[in-house]
Amino acid sequence: MNRITLLGATGSIGASTLDVVARHPERFGLYAVTASRSVEALVGICARFRPRVAVIADEARLASLSDALRVAGLPTVARAGSQALAEVACAPECDTVVAAIVGAAGLVPTIAAARAGKRVLLANKESIVCAGRLLIEAVRAGGGQLLPVDSEHSAIHQCLAGARLAERDVRRLILTASGGPFRTRSDFAGITPEEACAHPNWVMGRKISVDSATLMNKGLEVIEASWLFGFAAGRIEVVVHPQSVIHSMVEFVDGSVVAQLGTPDMRTPIAYALSYPERIDSGSATLDFTQLGALSFEAPDLRRFRCLALAFAALAGGTGRTATLNAANEIAVEAFLGGRLQFVDIARVIEETLNAVDADEPDSVEAVLDIDARARRVAMRCVERRAIATLNAVAS
Ligand code: NAD
Ligand code: MG
């Protein structure tokens, strides 16, 4: 029995993971599940999957979690806070950790799991964007495994299967991008959070939905691919493929291009990573080629989608830059979702923050957290300045 700690159980990736786990009760059991604030959703998961431990990140909600578990007659132990999150990620009772928290908040438990030698299933791309080498080294030191859940990286992992000396044999990695909801929109003025979160092909959490709309998601994925597969930015390309059927490709030096295809369903890469190197049913639909129609491709427009260009530039500058980029993006996206920042200003806040924060290459998790905190403070000031400028413009 493979015992799983599912970090971020109440989210979109959490739900897809639970769906796959429920299809294979003989293979998988849950050791621990975690959530940020939603006690009710967490207790619902406990009632269905009966994990040993449930962790709520918000410590003020520990009593309400304990009470709800007791009232429901469940044996699950309630815990709370960041220390508990890290502890369930490295507990000896679990074999696999699904890192599905959103944002840099997932960094510490993800690193803890890696150091403890777990099989880490990485959905939380922000942690590899802001810690890069530190996460890779933690996996190596722990002797475990890091497997991607992001569909593009799962595709590349599958395309590389059986390839020897990947670095020498591979010409380039080609990440596909759907282009998001604004692929064909020329004027970005007045875009609302609802419009930005209405992704054409995938249903996801709100933060990654906005990232997909700005193409920052693809930028974060380029950085993620660089660390996961050991490729420099110059050998990673992005191509827009609106149908999201090809999830990514690898071109070898002999000119062969290997692609991975499937219906856009996160249960496929989750099942792949959970059972690797075996294959299990994920519940996803069969790809009907006769119904597909044309597959199309175009270059990303870096002028309209500035975030992608900023991410490529940050990658070239090192982890101090990518951690700054990530923190500024988290602040800008949160402000946009809260109605405090225009969609077009997301890239501006990130760029201003990158210009203002001077960050060396971090040599520890503490150093990453320090850069993250500094970048957040600068980004918040940028958001405030823009909010004041907008108010003044309205008043005059
Ligand atoms: P989501 O918002 O639906 O869920 C996030 C989860 O993290 C929830 O369980 C929430 O309670 C928890 N969480 C949020 N803030 C937290 C905090 N401060 N401390 C502890 N827990 C916290 O997000 P999602 O769409 O499931 O995405 C999760 C991660 O997976 C992100 O990094 C995202 O980029 C990545 N990812 C998502 C998809 C997708 O299809 N949704 C695809 C690829 C990668
Ligand atoms: Mg992806």
Side-chain angles (χ1 to χ4, degrees), residues 27 48 104 109 116 121 144 154 159 167-168 181 190-191 207 299 334 342 346 355:
R27 258 181 190 263
R48 195 165 159 222
L121 272 54
S154 176
C159 295
E167 175 97 33
R168 192 197 304 166
I191 286 175
K207 192 263 176 181
E334 194 181 291
Q342 296 288 316
I346 294 175
N355 289 339

Side-chain angles (χ1 to χ4, degrees), residues 17-40:
T17 304
L18 292 171
D19 185 284
V20 176
V21 165
R23 288 167 195 277
H24 304 278
E26 73 300 342
R27 258 181 190 263
F28 305 116
L30 286 179
Y31 164 65
V33 293
T34 83
S36 171
R37 303 162 63 82
S38 174
V39 167
E40 202 180 288

Side-chain angles (χ1 to χ4, degrees), residues 122 147-163 172-177 202 218 221 224-225 228-229 241 244-252 257-263 265-266 268-270 272-273 276 279:
L122 187 72
L147 286 162
V149 164
D150 223 341
S151 56
E152 295 76 2
H153 307 75
S154 176
I156 290 172
H157 194 272
Q158 295 179 57
C159 295
L160 286 172
R172 55 184 179 142
L173 307 181
I174 305 158
L175 295 183
T176 52
W202 302 90
K218 211 48 55 180
E221 290 181 354
E224 180 184 11
L228 281 176
F229 304 109
H241 163 48
S244 296
V245 169
I246 296 180
H247 298 309
S248 278
M249 303 178 259
V250 172
E251 184 182 29
F252 292 89
V257 178
V258 179
Q260 187 261 348
L261 288 73
T263 50
D265 186 331
M266 287 308 294
T268 299
I270 291 167
Y272 174 78
Y276 180 80
R279 297 273 186 169

Side-chain angles (χ1 to χ4, degrees), residues 8-13 34-36 57 85 100-103 105 123-126 150 203-205 208 266:
T10 54
S12 163
I13 292 290
T34 83
S36 171
L85 281 179
I101 288 174
V102 59
N124 177 219
K125 63 191 87 183
E126 295 90 348
D150 223 341
V203 179
M204 310 179 285
I208 185 176
M266 287 308 294

